[in-house]
Every structure is written in structure tokens, then in C-alpha cells.
Amino acid sequence: MLNKSYNIDQIYNSVKDTTNQGYSKLSNFVSNDEVNILIGILENLFLENEKKYSGRIVEIKNINRAEFSILKKYKDIINKNLNSVLKTKFYLNKVWFERKIFNINTNENYKSELPYVPHIDKIRFFKALIYLQDTSEVNGAIKLGKQKPDDFETLRQKIINNKNVSNIVNNKTVTYNSINGKKGDIILFDTNNPHLAGDGEENKMRMTIRLDFENIHWNNNNLFSKIKFMSKNALKLI
């Protein structure tokens, strides 16, 4: 279904860049017409089929956030070339349709708290964000450092093994950029790369599809559970 403008080598190089510097971007990965089709399909999940998908609608600080797992829609939204590259190193954990609406919050203290301060995640994923609309600081584009993710694995292991170790990154030498993009762009990033959420402006909305991939060696899940999960979803990864 998706745009075939990127060949295997280009996608491989983008994944390699993400491994080396924390993130990369593929512009116009999905055509505007295809994005519009996706939005129509996904919006219907909220209106008609919520009970068929695991999800939640919650208030988080200044955000009304709705996210629904759409793993069953995986084959409809993933580019075959991207999948061919990723499945050599990762298995698919979840696919999310996420919609955020930014609200007024008179308490500005939230900006000094997670996820609005630089951090890494305790559970490590290789993520792909498909922008379903033009995205910038105005509607809360994610902010990313440009660091080699493996350099932060020691810290992540400390976080896992000691609840007193914070996942906040206080390295003042790291510069964070708002990862702005156009409708149809895809952002690849490793959650070991320091990152923080964009807070957006009043009543602005951000819509993305987020694909969470996992390396079998990264997280301390039960090996049997991983094998069972991968076997269950094998057809979706072909």
C-alpha cells in the first residue's frame, strides 16, 4: 500500500544511521493520498471498533492522548522494503495509532518533569513514527539528541537494576532538535537515544502511527514468551 520510492539500500542506510546516531528521517515515505486513506481507516477505529483494539484515552499533563494498538492492521500500513530490513534485527512488538491534542495548562511545572525533560526509556525499542500530518514544535514534534544509542546502554542497565537510578539524562553537551516533518515522513529512532516530548500549542493536534520494534537481546522478557509472541505474529512479518 505504501510509497515504494525508497529501495532496500536506502532504507538499510537509514536504519544504519539510526544505529550510529540515534535517529534518521525518510521524507515523503508515504504519499499524501495514502496518508489520507490511512487517516480514514484509523479514525474509524475510534468511532466504530474501539472494543476490538487495546487502547486508552487519558489526560497526561497538558495532553489529551488517545492511543490504540492496531497490530492487526500491520500488513496494511508497513512498507515491504522497510519490513525486510527491520526483521533481520528486530521483531514487531506493537503498532499504535496515536492522536494527541494539546490543552491549556496553567501549571507550567509539568515542563520540568518527564516526558518533557531529556531521558532514555527503561524498556528499549527501535521506533518508527509515521507523520499523518505536517508536524513541528507547534503540534508537539518529538525532540531528539544525536547520540549513539549503545553508549547509553550501561545507564539503562543501571536503571533496570536499581530503582534509585533516574532515566533523566543531564548531559549538557547533548543538543536536542525538534524533529519537524511533512505529512508522510517517517522518523526512525532508538529509545536509547536521549529524547523528550514536545509540548505543543493550545488545541493543536498531532497524529502518528508508531511502530515499536524490539531486539530479542534488549529487554529482560521471558525468552519463551518472546518466541511465542514472534511465532504468533510470524505471518504479519512476512
Side-chain angles (χ1 to χ4, degrees), residues 120-124 152-167 192 214 217-221:
I120 63 171
D121 293 354
K122 180 177 179 179
I123 300 175
R124 185 177 180 181
F152 290 83
E153 183 60 17
T154 298
L155 172 60
R156 192 178 75 89
Q157 291 301 321
K158 289 180 180 178
I159 294 166
I160 292 171
N161 295 314
N162 186 343
K163 64 181 182 181
N164 294 318
V165 176
S166 172
N167 66 330
N192 255 28
E214 187 173 354
H217 301 293
W218 280 353
N219 301 312
N220 295 326
N221 297 331

Side-chain angles (χ1 to χ4, degrees), residues 46 50 54-68 96-103 105 115-116 210:
F46 287 87
E50 291 181 12
S54 60
R56 59 180 181 168
I57 300 177
V58 294
E59 294 285 344
I60 303 177
K61 297 184 173 64
N62 70 322
I63 296 173
N64 176 280
R65 175 174 175 172
E67 54 183 22
F68 287 86
W96 297 96
F97 171 47
E98 184 174 77
R99 181 174 63 188
K100 293 181 178 180
I101 299 175
F102 296 87
N103 304 319
N105 190 322
Y116 298 101
R210 190 183 84 234

Side-chain angles (χ1 to χ4, degrees), residues 7 17 19 31 33 62 71 83 108 133 177-178 187 225 233:
N7 62 40
D17 287 344
T19 301
S31 72
D33 288 343
N62 70 322
L71 183 62
N83 182 56
E108 293 292 310
Q133 60 190 142
N177 296 307
S178 177
I187 312 302
S225 297
N233 293 288

Side-chain angles (χ1 to χ4, degrees), residues 22-48:
Y23 76 90
S24 62
K25 180 170 79 170
L26 294 166
S27 298
N28 192 30
F29 191 76
V30 188
S31 72
N32 283 343
D33 288 343
E34 290 165 336
V35 169
N36 291 335
I37 292 170
L38 283 175
I39 291 173
I41 293 171
L42 298 170
E43 288 286 7
N44 284 336
L45 297 182
F46 287 87
L47 299 175
E48 301 173 4

Side-chain angles (χ1 to χ4, degrees), residues 68-196:
F68 287 86
S69 174
I70 51 173
L71 183 62
K72 293 179 181 178
K73 293 285 185 181
Y74 176 73
K75 290 181 71 175
D76 294 333
I77 65 172
I78 188 63
N79 176 280
K80 290 183 179 179
N81 287 342
L82 177 63
N83 182 56
S84 295
V85 173
L86 291 181
K87 74 178 183 180
T88 63
K89 295 182 64 176
F90 307 104
Y91 68 90
L92 181 66
N93 183 292
K94 284 283 179 69
V95 182
W96 297 96
F97 171 47
E98 184 174 77
R99 181 174 63 188
K100 293 181 178 180
I101 299 175
F102 296 87
N103 304 319
I104 291 176
N105 190 322
T106 55
N107 178 9
E108 293 292 310
N109 290 335
Y110 74 86
K111 292 186 178 181
S112 63
E113 302 171 354
L114 289 169
Y116 298 101
V117 293
H119 63 281
I120 63 171
D121 293 354
K122 180 177 179 179
I123 300 175
R124 185 177 180 181
F125 290 112
F126 185 102
K127 295 192 176 187
L129 285 178
I130 301 174
Y131 284 170
L132 299 180
Q133 60 190 142
D134 291 355
T135 302
S136 67
E137 297 95 330
V138 172
N139 58 342
I142 189 170
K143 298 177 181 178
L144 297 171
K146 202 170 187 179
Q147 304 293 307
K148 188 175 179 64
D150 284 345
D151 289 347
F152 290 83
E153 183 60 17
T154 298
L155 172 60
R156 192 178 75 89
Q157 291 301 321
K158 289 180 180 178
I159 294 166
I160 292 171
N161 295 314
N162 186 343
K163 64 181 182 181
N164 294 318
V165 176
S166 172
N167 66 330
I168 293 175
V169 175
N170 291 314
N171 189 336
K172 303 299 183 182
T173 65
V174 178
T175 300
Y176 297 91
N177 296 307
S178 177
I179 309 302
N180 301 341
K182 296 291 186 180
K183 178 180 179 179
D185 291 354
I186 188 169
I187 312 302
L188 306 178
F189 74 100
D190 187 318
T191 60
N192 255 28
N193 180 33
H195 57 281
L196 63 154

